Amino acid sequence: MSAYDVLVVGAGLAGSTIAERCASEFGANVLLIDRRPHLAGNCHDPVDADGLQYHQYGPHVFHTNSEDVIDYLSAFTAWRPYEHRVLANVDGRLLPIPINRTTINALYGLDLDEAGVTAFLDRVAEPRAAIRTSEDVIVSRVGRELYERFFAGYTRKHWGLDPSALDASVCGRIPTRTNTDDRYFSDRFQLMPSDGYTAMVERMTSNPRIERVLGVDYFEIADRAHFRHVVFTGPIDAYFEHRFGKLPYRSLRFEFTTHDVEQYQSAGCINEPAEAVPYLRTTEYKHLTGQRHAKTIVSREYPSDEGEPYYPIPAPESREQYRKYALLAQRTRGVTFVGRLAEYRYYNMDQAVASALRTAEELVGVVRAAS
Ligand code: FAD
Ligand code: UDP
């Protein structure tokens, strides 16, 4: 095992980007491991027995404003344009989310133009002196009633916390629009990898200098193997044996069903803001993958505290706790922490790649010295 210059723990987007850079750019020999039996981490998109492609860990829609990230990934994939659209089930009516002109007019039986919607929102919005929480950000944009209908229940279900306990950035990432733009994201690039994420990651990590070993947990080999440098993309608290206590993560249970129809629903996702509905959203993957097939695969996401650590929790207390781990990580020589779980950041895919690209630059000296 010492034939390797770098051990990368985790073959998700962060780990695969680091492995690719170290091997292709710095000429290092890399061992890339993952405790799961597949590449691509949470973006893994297998094909089921019917030949339907789906996302094993929930809907993953690629969107970014970063030209650097697009340029980097474009070496490993072609792209298919895809603009994600989401409807919220509000008292049995399917309305566009993000809230836009169509949402307001349909909900209140109005026929407002853009200026009318701006005036409407100005009237209902509740100004807040400081925007600290997810409640602040939404109530100050659209008022309490729309907050209750579209955000409060969904957020309590998703995170197990009231929006007033979560950073403004959580709900703040959902825009409010006064026009009829009903795309879920506003980013400059909205694309899906043509053959999927796993195929893209497979190409990223196919350099002969990278050895990929799947189904291996780092903690099972850590005592037996010595590496000059380790890049860890798993949960940072697990790396340090939870010495400052377990960091909170939110998990999901996915329920997949296949339907004998070409199309199951009219949008990629239907969100369920009502707290009485136990799941968050229904996703039909064919919208995302563009696949044509006589059948269709659909998932529902049930939030939970138990299970895989999918979501770091953006809130003041967990951030304080994470800071202790981050300080320890800074003092730990020979190990670099990067990615959504290791940095404890609610990263989108492009942010995980961008962070890994930055980190790879910092590693160049370390890796070249080692090899
Ligand atoms: P991960 O993909 O989690 O990879 C880390 C890997 O490390 C895992 O494969 C894990 O098995 C492995 N690992 C951990 N511990 C060990 C160990 N001890 N030994 C060996 N291996 C280990 N982003 C978007 O941009 N758009 C979306 O639409 C979107 N939707 C999402 C929906 C859901 C339900 C979730 C959960 C996330 C979504 N994301 C989305 C975020 C996206 O999944 C992440 O940004 C991205 O996957 C982070 O990559 P990563 O490599 O940091 O982490
Ligand atoms: N959100 C909401 N209602 C919605 C959609 C989103 O309240 O219909 C809030 C919720 O708190 C959620 C956050 O906005 O966790 C971010 O939503 P996003 O769809 O980006 O979540 P993810 O794709 O990461 O699961």
Side-chain angles (χ1 to χ4, degrees):
M1 285 200 170
S2 53
Y4 303 103
D5 302 312
V6 187
L7 168 69
V8 179
V9 180
L13 280 180
S16 300
T17 300
I18 293 277
E20 190 281 330
R21 289 288 78 197
C22 288
S24 307
E25 191 68 17
F26 313 148
N29 293 318
V30 180
L31 177 60
L32 173 65
I33 65 166
D34 202 298
R35 64 181 158 82
R36 292 164 170 175
H38 58 72
L39 292 172
N42 285 343
C43 312
H44 183 53
D45 47 3
V47 173
D48 75 0
D50 288 311
L52 284 161
Q53 188 171 40
Y54 66 105
H55 297 176
Q56 188 170 336
Y57 306 100
H60 278 72
V61 178
F62 196 84
H63 56 100
T64 188
N65 285 316
S66 167
E67 207 157 337
D68 287 349
V69 167
I70 284 286
D71 284 350
Y72 172 68
L73 292 177
S74 296
F76 311 103
T77 187
W79 301 95
R80 185 180 70 84
Y82 172 67
E83 293 180 327
H84 190 48
R85 288 181 169 77
V86 179
L87 296 169
N89 179 6
V90 177
D91 303 328
R93 298 169 68 189
L94 296 182
L95 303 171
I97 173 93
I99 291 171
N100 68 4
R101 184 176 146 200
T102 314
T103 316
I104 303 284
N105 281 335
L107 191 61
Y108 296 108
L110 299 169
D111 188 23
L112 301 174
D113 61 10
E114 218 174 316
V117 175
T118 305
F120 176 94
L121 292 176
D122 283 349
R123 204 167 52 246
V124 295
E126 292 177 16
R128 301 252 157 144
I131 307 290
R132 283 182 305 102
T133 71
S134 277
E135 182 192 23
D136 294 336
V137 73
I138 300 300
V139 169
S140 69
R141 281 185 196 162
V142 300
R144 185 147 294 275
E145 185 178 326
L146 290 167
Y147 161 80
E148 289 292 346
R149 285 186 148 170
F150 288 86
F151 289 91
Y154 190 100
T155 301
R156 280 185 209 119
K157 284 196 290 188
H158 194 177
W159 300 93
L161 290 170
D162 192 79
S164 59
L166 284 162
D167 289 356
S169 58
V170 177
C171 288
R173 65 197 235 145
I174 311 295
T176 308
R177 303 203 182 101
T178 52
N179 58 17
T180 53
D181 182 355
D182 62 348
R183 297 169 310 156
Y184 199 61
F185 304 109
S186 311
D187 300 57
R188 188 169 152 215
F189 303 102
Q190 306 191 26
L191 308 152
M192 295 289 282
S194 297
D195 318 314
Y197 297 101
T198 311
M200 178 177 80
V201 170
E202 158 68 36
R203 289 183 209 113
M204 288 169 77
T205 58
S206 63
N207 187 313
R209 287 184 181 277
I210 302 175
E211 181 161 355
R212 301 174 290 201
V213 180
L214 301 174
V216 171
D217 194 311
Y218 170 69
F219 299 111
E220 281 163 18
I221 64 161
D223 290 347
R224 286 184 278 133
H226 173 72
F227 296 91
R228 294 190 187 116
H229 201 82
V230 175
V231 177
F232 189 79
T233 74
I236 189 167
D237 57 329
Y239 183 89
F240 292 113
E241 295 168 326
H242 308 110
R243 77 174 69 168
F244 304 123
K246 280 194 169 183
L247 281 169
Y249 295 91
R250 193 68 169 160
S251 193
L252 296 168
R253 178 175 63 79
F254 300 98
E255 196 179 271
F256 288 92
T257 47
T258 300
H259 300 264
D260 221 341
V261 292
E262 256 191 77
Q263 193 184 85
Y264 180 79
Q265 62 189 34
S266 59
C269 287
I270 309 248
N271 285 3
E272 299 291 343
E275 274 182 285
V277 179
Y279 54 90
L280 284 174
R281 58 187 171 188
T282 307
T283 301
E284 182 176 20
Y285 290 90
K286 280 166 80 180
H287 289 273
L288 282 62
T289 60
Q291 190 176 13
R292 303 186 73 136
H293 198 289
K295 296 185 183 183
T296 192
I297 186 161
V298 163
S299 73
R300 286 181 172 166
E301 293 161 59
Y302 294 81
S304 137
D305 278 335
E306 306 300 319
E308 284 284 301
Y310 291 126
Y311 290 88
I313 304 205
E317 256 178 44
S318 49
R319 195 169 34 256
E320 260 324 294
Q321 196 182 352
Y322 163 70
R323 254 189 215 127
K324 294 185 192 162
Y325 284 109
L327 279 175
L328 186 56
Q330 268 173 20
R331 295 199 305 265
T332 304
R333 293 181 69 83
V335 190
T336 300
F337 297 84
V338 63
R340 174 150 148 150
L341 301 170
E343 295 178 70
Y344 201 71
R345 298 274 295 271
Y346 184 21
Y347 275 157
N348 289 321
M349 290 179 279
D350 63 322
Q351 296 169 307
V353 171
S355 179
L357 289 173
R358 280 193 303 272
T359 304
E361 288 305 315
E362 292 160 17
L363 281 179
V364 61
V366 177
V367 172
R368 287 227 168 103
S371 51

